[in-house]
Amino acid sequence: MNKPIYKILDAKGRVLIPREARSAAGMDYGDIVRLDVQNGRVSVKKINIVEVGDKSPEAVEAFVHAAIREMPEESQIAIAVRLLELIQQRKEGRHG
């Protein structure tokens, strides 16, 4: 992929990475990507693990997504059930 591709940011600041660019970079649905900004340039890199110590909501979410993809289905279901329980408790005003 040598030819530049031009895209327009949408109102939320999103841009679609074309399929051929994702394929060339080895990116697929659910992969974690790291965005870096340096000298006015934004770079996107597929990564396999989030840096240790990064506890930002985005890093935690990326880690959870990556971990869940590798889990057996029974574990995925158990986690989904627990998350739904926590959400329900929060809606009812109970924490714990």
Side-chain angles (χ1 to χ4, degrees), residues 7-72:
K7 291 290 188 174
I8 297 174
L9 289 175
D10 71 9
K12 293 184 179 183
R14 298 175 296 197
V15 64
L16 174 74
I17 301 172
R19 180 179 299 147
E20 59 271 10
R22 293 191 314 263
S23 293
M27 295 178 184
D28 198 6
Y29 175 79
D31 285 343
I32 303 169
V33 295
R34 175 180 168 172
L35 303 175
D36 288 311
V37 179
Q38 190 172 32
N39 298 326
R41 295 181 137 196
V42 177
S43 64
V44 180
K45 180 180 179 184
K46 176 184 171 184
I47 60 170
N48 294 318
I49 190 159
V50 177
E51 288 81 6
V52 174
D54 187 347
K55 296 181 181 177
S56 68
E58 297 84 4
V60 171
E61 182 179 358
F63 176 79
V64 169
H65 278 276
I68 286 175
R69 285 189 354 195
E70 302 300 321
M71 289 181 184

